[in-house]
Amino acid sequence: MTKGYLKAEDLYKLKSVADPRLSSNGKDLVYVETKISEEKDEYVSNLYYIDVEQKTTPVQWTYGEHRNHSPRWSPAQQEVAFVSNRSGKNQIYVLKATGGEARQVTECTNGASNPVWSPDGKKIAFNVSLGEEEQLVEKDKKEEKKLVPLEVDKMKYKSDAAGFWNGKYSQIAVVDLETGDTELVTKGKNDYHLQGWSPDGKHLAVSTDLNEDLDFSFVSDVYLLDIQTKELEKITNSNGYFGGVTWSPNGRYIGLLGHEREYDNATLSKIWVYDTEQKELSCLTAETDLLIGDYAIGDFQQGAVSPGLLWTENNESFYFLASDHGNTVVYYGSLQGELYPALLENQHVYGLTTGGTLNRAVVAISKPTLHGELFLLDVPTGNLEQLTEVNKEYTDEVKLAEVEEIEFKSKDDWDLHGWIMKPANFEEGKKYPLILEIHGGPHAMYANSYFHEFQMLAAEGYAVLYINPRGSHGYGQKFVDAVRGDYGGRDYADLMEAVDYALEQYDFIDETKLGVTGGSYGGFMTNWIVGHTNRFKAAVTQRSISNWISFYGVSDIGYYFNAWQIKSELEDAETLWKHSPLAYVKNVETPLLILHSEKDFRCPIEQAEQLFIALKHRKKETKFVRFPESNHELSRSGKPSLRIARLNYILNWFHEYIK
């Protein structure tokens, strides 16, 4: 059978599997499958079950056109708690493993999230959002729809994820499953994030910042909250970001992920362990250059969850994810300092669960031609058995483009790494246009993972080049820190040298038909490129930065991001302007499409507005597309129809000016 080629609209046909949860018996697996309802233009998520010992066919556990997610096994493995919006708001439900209807266990005023079971299985702790005068449970509350002024007296009054601050704080509550009684265990003008419940049932681990001036505080401390007295015991040192808390089975050790901000937001995340008997916090990976966690970037998976440290039954060893050289891999570690990969392949592991077992894990894996599936990992042998095939029907009918890894030396002798994707309909002897893709962050990592945008371009006859320039994660602390204070410097050179390398090594690339695109930092770099070279025939800038001076005051992170990344304050406007693409707009000769979301608070739309007007005022070839009701995450989790519209805008611009 002749296979067809991918279209942007194929997002409607594809499913994402994520957040696998293996019970402590090592046998029962529950996970989340997400698809898109084309009719409703919304995401639909449901829970599925697999017996991993019998390799049974997946069984659907929840139904309906809702978002059912965050499944968590009860300690006795007889029930699963999960979050659902079936009532109109996110609330917590409990479903028996033997079947039947799910039981709603919270009726919180503003919804509930992040369920965590008590060790005895009688209670569930969770997060809620509450204003100072709001009640935890207010069944008859009517939604206020009238317009009211927004009073602002702090700098952190908006965020790209949550929008404008609404006067509510994240608090922690506990519901008794037998009586239905719900108790608020934190309060005040701070956000508390639930991390876990101690094995002896006496403490909750929570993360928060209790400094008085939060506008100038950039830490996340971990505390132990005494369930009875509500007293807090701090176990970190108010000098960095810490979270991902997990307890060893015997309760003596607490695993944490985090760092002490030695390089601000470019600092590698490390593994820390707190000894509850000795009252000591120590870093287990201080002497390594390994980045702990999944920092791969993509545009497909929905609901991926970071697992933190997954302790085994011996109380001294654990598994975790690490980002390394364009892959995310499963590592084994121990309190004795052991550290080695348990699954090291060209892959993106975006989910990991062990149920506390030593020799078995379930991993969610994506590759450039694998959207994402669940696999059973036998740790001693490294053997993988595939458990799901949610997109098999699609991949049987559609030809995906293969990728080839590239490695080369920069002119200043740094090792650089990336990929080139040939057109899906590649034929020897033919010439093809090339699109350079640039990731955001800049502290992120392209990986051996599925990318719908790249596959769409390849299906339309484009080769796609993408690399991890300096500033990217996955290549050590020196590499990720190198971009700070040098935006538009060696990072720009890395990308141009990657294009040079591709043209030298691959004779199928037509050097007269080059395009470039990227989002966020990648949008900044696209703007920078077209202001500094005319080698590209067309460019698409997405959710970009054009002016660091105005970015300082309009972005939700601007007033500190400039200092951390450009290494300049507002008083040094000359340096901020020197690094601003807007300063070089007179040099732009490349047709530039500007894509931006109306409610992007990370890189606000005024950045695009300035760029568009400056280009049009100088009679440059440009077009500006504004996406309604969308934020910085449009390309990954935005309204499905708008995600597809965005992809087609990119494709049509390149078709018009390159092909």
Side-chain angles (χ1 to χ4, degrees):
M1 182 184 76
T2 302
K3 288 190 175 185
Y5 294 103
L6 180 147
K7 300 290 184 185
E9 292 77 9
D10 289 354
L11 275 177
Y12 288 126
K13 302 177 182 178
L14 295 170
K15 300 172 184 176
S16 169
V17 290
D19 199 9
R21 296 283 165 165
L22 189 63
S23 71
S24 58
N25 63 21
K27 170 180 174 290
D28 298 314
L29 175 74
V30 63
Y31 63 94
V32 181
E33 180 178 299
T34 303
K35 62 181 181 179
I36 296 173
S37 168
E38 186 172 2
E39 180 182 353
K40 291 188 173 183
D41 198 20
E42 294 177 350
Y43 300 94
V44 174
S45 301
N46 278 298
L47 308 187
Y48 284 75
Y49 166 85
I50 296 175
D51 181 331
V52 301
E53 288 186 349
Q54 301 297 322
K55 312 296 187 305
T56 58
T57 301
V59 177
Q60 188 168 348
W61 269 11
T62 65
Y63 294 85
E65 300 286 295
H66 309 290
R67 298 296 297 268
N68 301 291
H69 58 91
S70 305
R72 303 294 182 261
W73 285 104
S74 67
Q77 302 105 51
Q78 300 301 311
E79 297 175 298
V80 170
F82 66 98
V83 177
S84 176
N85 65 354
R86 63 185 65 181
S87 69
K89 295 177 183 176
N90 281 332
Q91 300 288 357
I92 295 172
Y93 293 74
V94 171
L95 178 67
K96 290 188 179 297
T98 53
E101 287 293 320
R103 176 168 63 101
Q104 184 175 341
V105 298
T106 65
E107 294 183 340
C108 296
T109 302
N110 301 313
S113 64
N114 188 24
V116 175
W117 287 89
S118 64
D120 61 8
K122 296 180 179 180
K123 298 180 180 181
I124 294 176
F126 55 93
N127 271 114
V128 294
S129 178
L130 279 180
E132 289 187 81
E133 303 301 322
E134 284 187 306
Q135 298 298 312
L136 178 59
V137 178
E138 195 172 342
K139 297 181 183 179
D140 299 327
K141 180 189 176 186
K142 291 188 169 41
E143 296 291 337
E144 296 182 5
K145 295 184 178 180
K146 66 178 182 179
L147 294 177
V148 295
L150 175 67
E151 295 183 11
V152 176
D153 61 4
K154 61 180 183 177
M155 288 189 286
K156 293 179 182 176
Y157 72 94
K158 61 181 178 180
S159 78
D160 186 67
F164 289 118
W165 186 63
N166 58 7
K168 303 182 194 305
Y169 295 93
S170 177
Q171 303 292 355
I172 298 170
V174 175
V175 60
D176 186 306
L177 296 178
E178 183 176 342
T179 66
D181 294 338
T182 306
E183 177 191 13
L184 199 62
V185 296
T186 62
K187 62 182 180 179
K189 296 182 179 181
N190 294 91
D191 291 308
Y192 293 88
H193 305 285
L194 178 61
Q195 298 283 333
W197 206 317
S198 65
D200 64 6
K202 295 180 180 180
H203 294 89
L204 295 176
V206 304
S207 59
T208 186
D209 183 353
L210 295 184
N211 288 307
E212 290 188 8
D213 193 349
L214 295 178
D215 279 338
F216 292 91
S217 181
F218 304 97
V219 302
S220 174
D221 278 312
V222 174
Y223 292 79
L224 301 184
L225 171 67
D226 188 299
I227 296 287
Q228 295 299 321
T229 68
K230 308 301 185 291
E231 293 180 354
L232 291 169
E233 176 189 354
K234 186 167 66 172
I235 66 173
T236 54
N237 300 314
S238 295
N239 60 354
Y241 296 104
F242 295 90
V245 180
T246 56
W247 257 282
S248 64
N250 62 6
R252 175 172 177 177
Y253 300 106
I254 301 174
L256 305 89
L257 304 185
H259 60 75
E260 295 181 327
R261 296 190 62 235
E262 297 95 325
Y263 302 89
D264 288 322
N265 65 327
T267 312
L268 298 188
S269 181
K270 303 175 181 67
I271 293 174
W272 302 74
V273 170
Y274 181 76
D275 187 330
T276 60
E277 292 185 6
Q278 301 297 322
K279 305 291 184 182
E280 292 179 352
L281 179 67
S282 58
C283 182
L284 298 188
T285 58
E287 304 304 316
T288 75
D289 219 11
L290 185 65
L291 173 63
I292 310 304
D294 173 13
Y295 286 82
I297 196 167
D299 68 348
F300 180 70
Q301 302 304 337
Q302 301 293 322
V305 175
S306 175
L309 294 190
L310 299 179
W311 293 89
T312 67
E313 56 261 68
N314 63 22
N315 294 295
E316 295 188 347
S317 61
F318 43 80
Y319 294 98
F320 60 92
L321 294 181
S323 297
D324 186 20
H325 208 75
N327 297 301
T328 54
V329 298
V330 180
Y331 263 79
Y332 169 89
S334 74
L335 297 177
Q336 288 72 38
E338 295 174 284
L339 199 67
Y340 58 81
L343 180 63
L344 183 60
E345 294 184 4
N346 290 333
Q347 76 219 335
H348 172 202
V349 180
Y350 63 92
L352 171 67
T353 179
T354 65
T357 59
L358 183 61
N359 296 321
R360 176 180 291 175
V362 172
V363 289
I365 296 177
S366 178
K367 296 182 180 182
T369 57
L370 179 70
H371 300 89
E373 300 288 357
L374 301 183
F375 295 79
L376 180 64
L377 170 65
D378 182 76
V379 177
T381 65
N383 183 55
L384 284 171
E385 292 185 68
Q386 190 165 342
L387 297 173
T388 63
E389 291 183 315
V390 297
N391 291 306
K392 185 178 187 303
E393 183 177 341
Y394 176 82
T395 53
D396 284 345
E397 297 177 354
V398 175
K399 180 178 176 58
L400 298 179
E402 299 287 343
V403 303
E404 179 181 331
E405 290 196 50
I406 60 173
E407 295 190 83
F408 60 97
K409 289 278 189 182
S410 68
K411 289 182 179 178
D412 61 344
D413 205 36
W414 283 49
D415 292 321
L416 296 176
H417 171 240
W419 297 261
I420 190 159
M421 181 181 287
K422 290 182 178 180
N425 59 351
F426 178 81
E427 295 180 28
E428 290 288 349
K430 278 193 172 184
K431 290 278 191 178
Y432 296 92
L434 174 75
I435 307 300
L436 171 66
E437 289 269 6
I438 309 169
H439 69 61
H443 309 310
M445 181 184 76
Y446 277 144
N448 280 298
S449 190
Y450 177 79
F451 222 112
H452 196 70
E453 180 179 326
F454 298 178
Q455 288 288 349
M456 177 199 71
L457 291 170
E460 292 287 340
Y462 295 92
V464 182
L465 171 66
Y466 51 109
I467 74 159
N468 287 320
R470 66 195 72 189
S472 302
H473 268 314
Y475 304 88
Q477 184 63 77
K478 181 180 178 182
F479 193 88
V480 73
D481 187 53
V483 74
R484 296 200 305 144
D486 191 37
Y487 276 43
R490 281 305 315 175
D491 51 350
Y492 166 65
D494 287 349
L495 292 162
M496 293 305 97
E497 289 168 23
V499 175
D500 293 338
Y501 176 85
L503 293 174
E504 291 169 4
Q505 296 295 316
Y506 300 99
D507 59 8
F508 61 82
I509 299 173
D510 186 340
E511 64 180 357
T512 69
K513 295 183 176 182
L514 305 179
V516 59
T517 186
S520 196
Y521 164 82
F524 156 83
M525 185 53 67
T526 299
N527 297 341
W528 186 268
I529 285 171
V530 298
H532 287 79
T533 180
N534 293 327
R535 74 188 303 183
F536 296 93
K537 288 194 69 177
V540 181
T541 185
Q542 308 170 53
R543 56 190 186 278
S544 73
I545 297 163
S546 65
N547 183 350
W548 290 111
I549 297 175
S550 63
F551 182 83
Y552 166 89
V554 297
S555 169
D556 63 343
I557 62 173
Y559 72 94
Y560 55 89
F561 191 87
N562 279 6
W564 294 356
Q565 291 292 311
I566 309 301
K567 294 191 174 180
S568 180
E569 298 284 0
L570 190 60
E571 290 77 9
D572 185 11
E574 182 179 349
T575 297
L576 293 176
W577 187 243
K578 182 183 73 173
H579 288 282
S580 296
L582 198 63
Y584 309 95
V585 71
K586 70 179 187 300
N587 301 330
V588 177
E589 300 297 336
T590 307
L592 181 65
L593 175 64
I594 303 169
L595 306 181
H596 220 106
S597 295
E598 294 285 359
K599 292 187 175 180
D600 188 333
F601 290 165
R602 183 57 40 84
C603 298
I605 200 166
E606 63 88 32
Q607 295 283 306
E609 292 171 332
Q610 292 186 68
L611 181 61
F612 174 70
I613 293 300
L615 289 168
K616 291 296 284 187
H617 191 219
R618 289 157 180 79
K619 303 292 186 180
K620 307 292 185 178
E621 190 69 27
T622 187
K623 181 185 287 186
F624 184 17
V625 182
R626 306 171 69 121
F627 292 86
E629 301 300 316
S630 302
N631 67 4
H632 201 65
E633 296 300 307
L634 168 65
S635 66
R636 297 179 275 265
S637 58
K639 181 70 78 172
S641 61
L642 294 180
R643 287 177 66 192
I644 290 168
R646 168 191 160 273
L647 289 169
N648 282 321
Y649 271 115
I650 295 169
L651 184 63
N652 292 336
W653 190 260
F654 287 140
H655 277 354
E656 181 176 355
Y657 290 98
I658 295 179
K659 287 199 87 173

